[in-house]
Amino acid sequence: MLSFPTNVFFVPFAIFLMIMLVDLVFNIVESVAPDVDFFDAENIPGAGLLLPPILSKVPLMVALCVSFFIGTILSFYLNQGLAAVSEASWMIVIEVVSIPVTAYLALWISAWLLKPLAPLFDRKKSFAKVDFIGLKARVHSSAVNQTRGEVVVHHQGNEFLLDARAIEPETSMEYGDEVIIVSQDKTTNHYIVAKNS
């Protein structure tokens, strides 16, 4: 693994693997750079030819680890094949030329392997959005009025506790009453409810 050209891929793989394992325990990368995107392959012109776009959708350490691991495997077997063909000194030129080719193949193979994992790391889809407007709910607090209150919504097997306010001042809604969510106040992030008659 430490012979040339395999060491070009194995040494960075070992370093990135150690960083990734330490990061799993201590969360170093996330605390140092929480919202930094190291590269955005979708906004680079011609990036589809140079860099597989799927690698920008997984964490950087995972992409680097898998890419250098695949590069290590490819480089090792290519080195073994070249050693079986000839032991001549001019083979060093072929080994040097094979490094960028191996790196490019490793990127594409790792992108193919990581493609099923990309949805797991998509931050835009990590939290489901539920539209509560029009759903029925039950009063969870002692009462719901124009200043305070809570309601519970059961939606697709999940239970949501929401801050609620009454739509009309004279309406009294007490614990256990069924209500309908009419709208949401975006500024205070509470829901306006009306008694279900």
Side-chain angles (χ1 to χ4, degrees), residues 17-28:
L17 180 65
M18 290 304 295
I19 292 171
M20 188 173 70
L21 292 176
V22 169
D23 184 53
L24 283 173
V25 177
F26 298 110
N27 202 16
I28 296 169

Side-chain angles (χ1 to χ4, degrees), residues 164-181:
R165 304 292 183 266
I167 195 168
E168 298 168 356
E170 63 276 355
T171 306
S172 71
M173 290 176 266
E174 298 177 355
Y175 179 81
D177 288 348
E178 190 173 86
V179 295
I180 294 178
I181 300 172

Side-chain angles (χ1 to χ4, degrees), residues 15-197:
I15 292 169
F16 289 132
L17 180 65
M18 290 304 295
I19 292 171
M20 188 173 70
L21 292 176
V22 169
D23 184 53
L24 283 173
V25 177
F26 298 110
N27 202 16
I28 296 169
V29 174
E30 186 71 26
S31 63
V32 171
D35 294 324
V36 174
D37 288 332
F38 290 96
F39 57 87
D40 186 5
E42 294 174 355
N43 294 330
I44 301 172
L49 297 173
L50 300 174
L51 185 67
I54 199 71
L55 293 180
S56 67
K57 294 183 174 30
V58 296
L60 181 66
M61 284 298 126
V62 173
L64 289 174
C65 255
V66 172
S67 298
F68 279 107
F69 178 71
I70 299 296
T72 301
I73 293 171
L74 292 175
S75 178
F76 176 77
Y77 283 112
L78 181 65
N79 195 19
Q80 294 296 314
L82 290 175
V85 171
S86 176
E87 290 288 335
S89 61
W90 57 269
M91 292 299 280
I92 190 77
V93 175
I94 295 175
E95 291 175 345
V96 169
V97 170
S98 72
I99 292 173
V101 174
T102 303
Y104 188 72
L105 284 173
L107 283 174
W108 281 99
I109 292 170
S110 62
W112 179 74
L113 290 174
L114 291 172
K115 191 171 188 175
L117 297 178
L120 296 175
F121 298 109
D122 190 358
R123 293 184 185 205
K124 294 175 188 169
K125 297 178 183 174
S126 60
F127 295 102
K129 299 272 184 184
V130 179
D131 185 15
F132 295 109
I133 310 301
L135 296 180
K136 292 181 181 178
R138 290 220 176 263
V139 176
H140 184 69
S141 56
S142 60
V144 173
N145 53 38
Q146 285 191 312
T147 58
R148 64 178 183 86
E150 291 179 337
V151 295
V152 174
V153 178
H154 294 281
H155 180 68
Q156 296 180 352
N158 295 318
E159 187 175 277
F160 299 94
L161 181 65
L162 306 173
D163 286 330
R165 304 292 183 266
I167 195 168
E168 298 168 356
E170 63 276 355
T171 306
S172 71
M173 290 176 266
E174 298 177 355
Y175 179 81
D177 288 348
E178 190 173 86
V179 295
I180 294 178
I181 300 172
V182 179
S183 64
Q184 181 183 13
D185 187 345
K186 300 286 185 186
T187 56
T188 58
N189 205 22
H190 65 261
Y191 290 86
I192 309 298
V193 296
K195 195 166 186 177
N196 189 18
S197 47

